[in-house]
Amino acid sequence: GVTTVEDKRRDLRMLAAACAAALLVVAVLVLLFLSGRSGRKHDEIVLPESRPAQEQEDQPREEESVLTVTADNVQTVLQSMTRLSAFHQTFTVTRRSGTHTRTAVVDVWASGGRVRAESTDSFETRYLLTDGETVCIWYEGETPTAFSMQDGATYEDLAGLPTYEDIIRLPSAAIREGGFLADSQTGLDLVYVRALTDGAERQYWVSTDSGLLYRQTTTVDGTVVYEAEQTLLEPLAGEDAALADAFRLPDGTDPFTSAS
């Protein structure tokens, strides 16, 4: 049929409406796109990874503070260390007096609060066995004698060995140096202490791995009058075969059967 002017106007109105709708859709899409970009940029600014990165930067400083040992805190560091609960340890102990030198080998077995120590030099072998409350002492070929441990006494005192508990009890003013060091020859990490007491300079090296004394020297007027150095350390289990007979007297009896 014949297209009227009214029909043409109607078609133009429909085309205009369709174009407007299309433009509106495009505008909405553009706004959504721009909004998404803005949101992503905002997320990048507050990425959660920034917090762990800060923690990683702080971590080395925390480790450094833990490993810093000084004269001011070395007593606290030693007091907080944990010793092996069962072990066999051997020391070479040298004493000097004038032109005389006496060297002994001291073996220590420890487990469950019980300790056996044997000290051998060119003159004699001395034994002791203790549970921390009672001590049995004897020499080769002799009958053991039992004593009650005096307050504060340790097996190290009785065996002629140094103990770093002495350092813990010293006045803080006596501590002149404290530090942490790695021994390249032995591969051990050690806590070092230097103290001045009773006119003598005492140096201690304690293993951080075992919590046990590794070396100690006492110097008087520039001369080393006493030196003890670990030559063997064997960590043991409480039921280790090496401990089966360690805590028996020469007649085979165990004086501390109630010990844990």
Side-chain angles (χ1 to χ4, degrees):
V2 179
T3 302
T4 65
V5 173
E6 187 62 29
D7 292 337
K8 290 182 178 180
R9 288 177 179 175
R10 186 175 62 250
D11 293 342
L12 288 173
R13 286 196 298 271
M14 293 177 64
L15 179 60
C19 290
L23 289 173
L24 179 60
V25 171
V26 171
V28 170
L29 291 174
V30 169
L31 287 174
L32 290 175
F33 175 74
L34 293 176
S35 176
R37 286 178 59 85
S38 176
R40 285 195 296 272
K41 289 181 179 179
H42 179 70
D43 291 342
E44 291 172 0
I45 293 173
V46 292
L47 282 176
E49 286 79 7
S50 61
R51 182 172 297 173
Q54 182 64 37
E55 292 174 357
Q56 291 175 2
E57 292 178 1
D58 293 342
Q59 188 64 30
R61 287 194 292 270
E62 293 176 359
E63 291 179 354
E64 182 179 356
S65 64
V66 170
L67 296 177
T68 299
V69 180
T70 66
D72 294 330
N73 68 6
V74 70
Q75 288 174 300
T76 302
V77 170
L78 290 176
Q79 197 167 10
S80 66
M81 292 176 67
T82 302
R83 293 189 179 196
L84 283 175
S85 59
F87 60 88
H88 171 211
Q89 189 178 28
T90 303
F91 282 95
T92 296
V93 177
T94 303
R95 294 178 175 84
R96 298 180 180 88
S97 178
T99 59
H100 300 285
T101 299
R102 188 167 179 173
T103 300
V105 174
V106 180
D107 277 287
V108 176
W109 290 265
S111 177
R114 297 181 295 180
V115 176
R116 178 189 181 96
E118 299 179 5
S119 177
T120 303
D121 60 20
S122 57
F123 298 98
E124 60 193 9
T125 298
R126 183 172 181 262
Y127 303 86
L128 73 84
L129 191 60
T130 181
D131 63 351
E133 297 180 0
T134 301
V135 58
C136 298
I137 299 177
W138 70 98
Y139 290 88
E140 187 71 41
E142 295 185 358
T143 301
T145 302
F147 301 91
S148 293
M149 294 279 281
Q150 296 180 353
D151 293 340
T154 66
Y155 78 83
E156 290 101 334
D157 296 329
L158 298 173
L161 290 172
T163 168
Y164 65 79
E165 279 84 353
D166 293 338
I167 285 291
I168 296 173
R169 292 189 289 263
L170 281 175
S172 58
I175 307 298
R176 300 305 176 90
E177 189 175 355
F180 174 86
L181 58 91
D183 190 315
S184 59
Q185 294 183 344
T186 63
L188 294 175
D189 293 328
L190 304 168
V191 172
Y192 169 75
V193 189
R194 183 173 67 88
L196 296 180
T197 60
D198 303 324
E201 178 185 78
R202 291 178 170 84
Q203 295 174 288
Y204 294 74
W205 292 261
V206 180
S207 169
T208 61
D209 293 329
S210 65
L212 300 174
L213 184 74
Y214 174 73
R215 186 168 181 251
Q216 195 270 325
T217 62
T218 300
T219 303
V220 177
D221 296 331
T223 300
V224 177
V225 296
Y226 178 93
E227 181 175 10
E229 184 167 1
Q230 174 188 292
T231 58
L232 173 71
L233 177 61
E234 293 180 297
L236 301 173
E239 302 300 325
D240 198 292
L243 296 172
D245 297 321
F247 306 119
R248 296 185 182 277
L249 296 174
D251 63 1
T253 60
D254 183 348
F256 312 121
T257 53
S258 62
S260 57

